[in-house]
Amino acid sequence: MSDVHERTLISAAAGSGKTVQIVRRYLHELAQGVKAPEIVAITFTRKAAAELVERVSRVLQVGAKRKS
């Protein structure tokens, strides 16, 4: 499990892959046993936050289908 005080800042230009990296980090934390409500991702727009939720949900749904 990750250190509760560990933080990561991702700052880069548009189209550079920030969302992909945040999604990977989020999924990694889940895989390490961190509970979803304990993970925080802050974005500048609601649209970006919605994109993160959609991408994480999509990966988790695909994983759940593969297990069944």
Side-chain angles (χ1 to χ4, degrees), residues 4-19:
V4 70
H5 300 291
E6 183 179 335
R7 291 174 176 80
T8 301
L9 173 66
I10 299 174
S11 177
S16 62
K18 293 180 300 292
T19 302

Side-chain angles (χ1 to χ4, degrees), residues 2-65:
S2 296
D3 181 357
V4 70
H5 300 291
E6 183 179 335
R7 291 174 176 80
T8 301
L9 173 66
I10 299 174
S11 177
S16 62
K18 293 180 300 292
T19 302
V20 170
Q21 291 303 313
I22 294 169
V23 169
R24 286 180 182 164
R25 177 63 187 260
Y26 189 94
L27 295 169
H28 172 77
E29 294 299 320
L30 289 176
Q32 296 300 309
V34 178
K35 294 182 178 22
E38 297 172 349
I39 303 170
V40 177
I42 299 171
T43 65
F44 284 105
T45 66
R46 289 192 170 117
K47 181 179 177 183
E51 178 70 16
L52 286 173
V53 169
E54 192 275 325
R55 288 191 192 189
V56 169
S57 296
R58 187 179 337 139
V59 171
L60 293 174
Q61 288 172 358
V62 168
K65 287 179 183 177

